[in-house]
Amino acid sequence: MSSLDTNLKIKLIRDENSPYIQQVNQLADANSKTLGFRYDCFYLERAKNPGILVALLDNKMVGYLIWSINKRKRIARLWQLCIKPEYRGRKIAKSLNNEFLKLAYESAREIRFECKDNYGIDRMWCALGYFSIFEKPAKTKGHTLKVWSMQFISNEPSIFSLNTSESTIKCAIDAYTLHKLMKKSQHKESIEWLSSELGICVTEEIFNEIDQFYPNRKKQLWNLVNTQFSKLESEPLIFQNKYEFIKAILKQNKIEIEETDIRHIARCLASDIPYFLTEKINLLSISPLIYKNINVKIISLKEGINLQESDTDITGYQPLHLENKSIQLQTLSQFNLEKIATAVFQLYPNSNQEKLLRKLREFENNDKIESHVLYYQNEPQILFVYDISQQEQLEVPFLRVIKETSLTTTLLNFVVNHLVEIAISDNYSFLKITDPFIREPEKIILERQYFTKNIEGFEWIKPCLRDTLNSQEVINYLFQASKNHPEYKNMSQFLRSWLNSEEVLKDPLYCMDMERLLWPLKIENTNIPNFIIPIKPEYAKELFDKNLAKENLFGNQRTDLFLGLDRVYYKSSKSSLKKAPARIFWYVSKCQDNGYSDLSH
């Protein structure tokens, strides 16, 4: 396995006069048999918008990636990914793709592209996290085009995926087991029972497994998966992180399994799926090791049935079943600092354990510092510290995971959102995360909650002004913000350029993107539609109204909804909510109203 070159740099080219454009053109021409022929104007246009990613090794261009984005459909198309032959096998394609994912995530909900099946690079696309969704005839007679996809999703628990029934487990199945069931005479009834009674689901990886191992029954299996099972998706970069983590565990224990099996388990972990159902003997044999290290349990079909019918507490492990679980924010002083420092150091080995312990003691004894631990399932999970001594900004010098579980992503999202709410309620202009040891999973979460990274440092910053202003007032606010907070200068200039455009202000899609970046600030003179929706007090309490929750003796009863950041509104088909994007203004109505239909279970 080749390692990633430490002197490799990925650069975004947004200049049609860049000297790299000619090099990209030359490399594309040299590989035209697979890439196809493109006129020079194709590369010039992509260089202007959205840009071309080039890989530089010792300042030498060794590869590139070209894409475009349909802003209306929010679909990114990958056009070309090409590496010079002598540099292939050095994970340069992976580095280019990872940078592409970060850029595409800002504007797209999905990535798609086409590739001929006879190029022999299906394994590469699978390794990069893509999955094949369908096939169609290529222009060249006798060849087939595979259409590949990757979808961006919110990874917090959603009321779409929640099931309040304690009799339903959340478990993904592989194609190997489905194929075995199909061979049996009553496979249709068995498979329908798996989906309806056991609640078995699939991940994106099942499409790759079908494509690779069952070409003769591909259409039948794809149709079965698409019609009988719900598909739980995972955030691409989080999946990649979990995939590398599991590979390292297997390598350390000298265990070899199929790449598709590793990706199956990684997608379960990234999607908060606690069980993976398979009939593969080699996977069942390593179940204890996998469960011990990543809390995903590999089970057989028989075990899945027994788990469904069992009276034990094992299903209480599932992230789905958060009801009646205690979630507390406790002060750091309530814990053994040496144990906390040791646990944190194991997840952040680049830090110094002794310095870490001294820092925790400083936090504990500083009256101007608030130090809290998120406590869940009787264990400390996340430590976060914020400085209340400054007037303009709320600074968070310390944000660390204490214990890594399948629910860590959700808990981190909750903590970051909690910090944003503190900054807003205490009238801070900005929230700044200044922890130098932020890892990739935390970075993804900060990006998802619209933080901006300082290009010249490691700080992450977000505006927290709660107000409603017109576009000119917002421009003035952003100009002043860039003066007071130089690290926000680039984002400020970008947003001001948008706000100065009448065309942008007329486009609800662009305006909604700006409001997301500036939340909770609202812009007055935009064309974003507004809808006022009634909601019953009992649902408002569970979803977003903390004051109502405090009036109730038991507070929030649905801990899963309490942790989640996404909300879903259901209305009859006669509803006038036909425009998107749009703002929704909730008002708490009397219980007799007809504004609310039901929650998804």
Side-chain angles (χ1 to χ4, degrees):
M1 179 66 70
S2 59
S3 60
L4 191 63
D5 289 285
T6 56
N7 52 345
L8 177 70
K9 294 181 180 179
I10 306 299
K11 187 175 182 178
L12 177 62
I13 305 301
R14 277 184 171 155
D15 179 7
E16 59 183 315
N17 297 316
S18 169
Y20 293 114
I21 302 300
Q22 185 178 357
Q23 296 179 46
V24 167
N25 231 322
Q26 291 171 350
L27 182 55
D29 288 344
N31 292 271
S32 59
K33 287 186 178 180
T34 52
L35 297 175
F37 174 76
R38 297 282 178 183
Y39 289 101
D40 292 352
C41 59
F42 170 82
Y43 302 98
L44 295 175
E45 286 298 317
R46 295 297 176 272
K48 286 191 291 185
N49 184 30
I52 296 176
L53 286 169
V54 296
L56 305 176
L57 193 58
D58 298 324
N59 294 320
K60 179 181 179 181
M61 203 282 288
V62 296
Y64 69 89
L65 185 148
I66 295 179
W67 83 101
S68 65
I69 292 180
N70 184 320
K71 292 183 179 179
R72 289 292 177 187
K73 294 183 178 180
R74 288 185 173 270
I75 295 178
R77 175 165 181 175
L78 196 165
W79 289 94
Q80 294 182 355
L81 172 58
C82 186
I83 311 297
K84 288 186 175 181
E86 62 269 30
Y87 293 97
R88 291 171 187 171
R90 296 170 68 169
K91 297 189 177 181
I92 296 173
K94 180 180 178 180
S95 298
L96 281 166
N97 187 69
N98 284 349
E99 195 62 32
F100 166 51
L101 295 184
K102 295 175 185 177
L103 294 170
Y105 181 82
E106 297 173 3
S107 308
R109 57 181 173 82
E110 182 184 3
I111 298 170
R112 283 196 182 190
F113 63 90
E114 299 171 353
C115 184
K116 282 187 178 180
D117 62 349
N118 64 328
Y119 287 168
I121 55 173
D122 287 6
R123 288 180 179 270
M124 182 193 77
W125 297 128
C126 293
L128 293 178
Y130 296 96
F131 58 97
S132 177
I133 53 175
F134 63 89
E135 296 177 347
K136 62 182 183 179
K139 291 181 180 179
T140 307
K141 190 175 180 180
H143 293 288
T144 301
L145 274 180
K146 284 185 180 178
V147 179
W148 296 81
S149 173
M150 179 186 289
Q151 297 172 352
F152 298 108
I153 53 102
S154 176
N155 209 43
E156 308 90 35
S158 164
I159 56 179
F160 271 131
S161 59
L162 288 168
N163 192 324
T164 57
S165 169
E166 290 295 329
S167 64
T168 304
I169 62 174
K170 187 180 179 185
C171 177
I173 193 170
D174 62 358
Y176 175 83
T177 307
L178 275 182
H179 187 252
K180 284 188 69 174
L181 286 170
M182 283 181 64
K183 291 181 177 179
K184 297 181 180 179
S185 57
Q186 296 180 333
H187 73 273
K188 184 177 180 182
E189 291 77 11
S190 301
I191 291 168
E192 287 179 354
W193 178 79
L194 278 176
S195 176
S196 61
E197 298 299 322
L198 285 188
I200 303 298
C201 60
V202 297
T203 70
E204 299 106 319
E205 189 55 37
I206 198 166
F207 297 101
N208 289 334
E209 185 186 2
I210 293 170
D211 185 55
Q212 182 178 349
F213 295 103
Y214 307 101
N216 295 331
R217 307 199 72 175
K218 187 185 299 184
K219 289 185 178 180
Q220 190 177 359
L221 280 167
W222 274 3
N223 182 62
L224 178 68
V225 168
N226 285 318
T227 57
Q228 295 294 333
F229 296 93
S230 60
K231 177 163 66 76
L232 294 187
E233 297 157 349
S234 55
E235 199 67 75
L237 289 173
I238 294 177
F239 157 70
Q240 287 288 348
N241 179 271
K242 304 300 184 187
Y243 170 72
E244 295 296 339
F245 179 63
I246 294 169
K247 284 189 72 173
I249 292 171
L250 294 172
K251 184 178 180 181
Q252 183 181 356
N253 289 273
K254 299 180 180 179
I255 295 173
E256 292 185 6
I257 60 175
E258 290 282 353
E259 284 289 315
T260 188
D261 293 328
I262 301 175
R263 291 193 295 270
H264 261 308
I265 299 168
R267 290 193 187 277
C268 286
L269 183 57
S271 303
D272 287 339
I273 301 174
Y275 300 104
F276 176 50
L277 192 152
T278 183
E279 290 294 287
K280 290 185 177 181
I281 303 300
N282 66 322
L283 293 185
L284 293 170
S285 68
I286 63 171
S287 179
L289 173 71
I290 297 297
Y291 183 71
K292 177 183 176 182
N293 285 277
I294 65 170
N295 286 341
V296 171
K297 196 172 184 67
I298 302 174
I299 59 175
S300 65
L301 179 59
K302 182 179 179 180
E303 287 173 316
I305 296 168
N306 291 338
L307 182 66
Q308 175 71 21
E309 298 172 348
S310 174
D311 293 326
T312 67
D313 294 330
I314 190 167
T315 53
Y317 156 73
Q318 296 188 77
L320 291 177
H321 300 158
L322 295 172
E323 295 89 346
N324 304 318
K325 304 292 185 184
S326 59
I327 300 173
Q328 301 173 351
L329 291 178
Q330 300 184 3
T331 59
L332 181 60
S333 58
Q334 295 177 258
F335 296 88
N336 183 312
L337 296 189
E338 291 186 357
K339 289 184 178 180
I340 294 290
T342 300
V344 171
F345 177 72
Q346 289 176 351
L347 295 176
Y348 300 82
N350 292 332
S351 59
N352 183 290
Q353 190 169 353
E354 292 182 6
K355 290 182 179 179
L356 184 59
L357 182 57
R358 286 200 301 269
K359 202 71 177 174
L360 294 182
R361 287 171 177 157
E362 289 175 14
F363 291 148
E364 187 182 31
N365 298 318
N366 191 333
D367 293 336
K368 296 180 179 180
I369 293 287
E370 293 280 347
S371 307
H372 294 279
V373 172
L374 182 71
Y375 196 71
Y376 174 66
Q377 288 188 334
N378 299 316
E379 288 188 287
Q381 303 283 345
I382 297 171
L383 170 61
F384 61 99
V385 175
Y386 54 93
D387 185 348
I388 58 175
S389 65
Q390 303 178 56
Q391 291 184 346
E392 278 291 312
Q393 67 182 22
L394 182 67
E395 183 178 347
V396 181
F398 203 89
L399 176 62
R400 308 281 176 92
V401 175
I402 301 172
K403 180 180 174 63
E404 191 94 67
T405 71
S406 60
L407 197 61
T408 297
T409 299
T410 300
L411 296 176
L412 270 169
N413 262 310
F414 172 77
V415 167
V416 172
N417 187 254
H418 177 70
L419 289 166
V420 172
E421 290 182 346
I422 291 173
I424 293 170
S425 62
D426 292 349
N427 297 317
Y428 287 100
S429 298
F430 279 85
L431 172 61
K432 186 190 289 187
I433 313 287
T434 58
D435 191 333
F437 294 100
I438 291 287
R439 304 176 305 167
E440 194 64 29
E442 290 96 279
K443 291 177 183 178
I444 293 170
I445 287 165
L446 292 174
E447 288 174 351
R448 185 184 299 152
Q449 297 206 31
Y450 305 105
F451 280 75
T452 301
K453 186 178 184 297
N454 180 12
I455 298 175
E456 299 176 356
F458 48 78
E459 300 96 346
W460 293 77
I461 189 167
K462 174 176 173 46
C464 297
L465 177 66
R466 186 195 295 276
D467 207 343
T468 302
L469 306 173
N470 62 43
S471 58
Q472 187 56 52
E473 289 172 329
V474 177
I475 289 172
N476 296 338
Y477 160 71
L478 290 169
F479 178 73
Q480 189 61 41
S482 66
K483 291 176 65 177
N484 297 337
H485 304 275
E487 62 271 31
Y488 196 66
K489 181 179 179 181
N490 290 334
M491 179 56 73
S492 173
Q493 289 177 340
F494 170 71
L495 290 171
R496 290 193 329 249
S497 68
W498 271 21
L499 288 163
N500 275 314
S501 169
E502 287 296 327
E503 185 179 346
V504 168
L505 291 175
K506 291 178 183 178
D507 190 324
L509 201 61
Y510 283 111
C511 293
M512 188 61 76
D513 284 341
M514 282 192 289
E515 285 200 353
R516 289 191 182 105
L517 291 168
L518 293 169
W519 184 85
L521 183 66
K522 294 289 179 282
I523 308 169
E524 282 183 344
N525 53 320
T526 65
N527 283 341
I528 302 175
N530 299 297
F531 297 94
I532 300 176
I533 306 296
I535 185 171
K536 291 180 181 179
E538 58 189 285
Y539 297 117
K541 169 179 70 68
E542 297 292 348
L543 291 170
F544 52 74
D545 198 319
K546 295 181 179 178
N547 292 327
L548 271 177
K550 289 177 182 176
E551 293 175 9
N552 183 282
L553 177 63
F554 301 103
N556 293 83
Q557 298 300 296
R558 291 288 302 275
T559 311
D560 45 14
L561 296 181
F562 174 67
L563 280 175
L565 302 183
D566 51 348
R567 303 289 179 255
V568 177
Y569 170 74
Y570 285 90
K571 186 71 173 172
S572 70
S573 59
K574 297 179 181 179
S575 169
S576 60
L577 279 171
K578 296 180 179 178
K579 294 184 178 180
R583 299 191 193 101
I584 292 180
F585 296 89
W586 300 97
Y587 77 89
V588 181
S589 63
K590 295 181 180 180
C591 291
Q592 291 92 333
D593 77 271
N594 295 318
Y596 190 86
S597 178
D598 198 3
L599 280 175
S600 174
H601 294 300

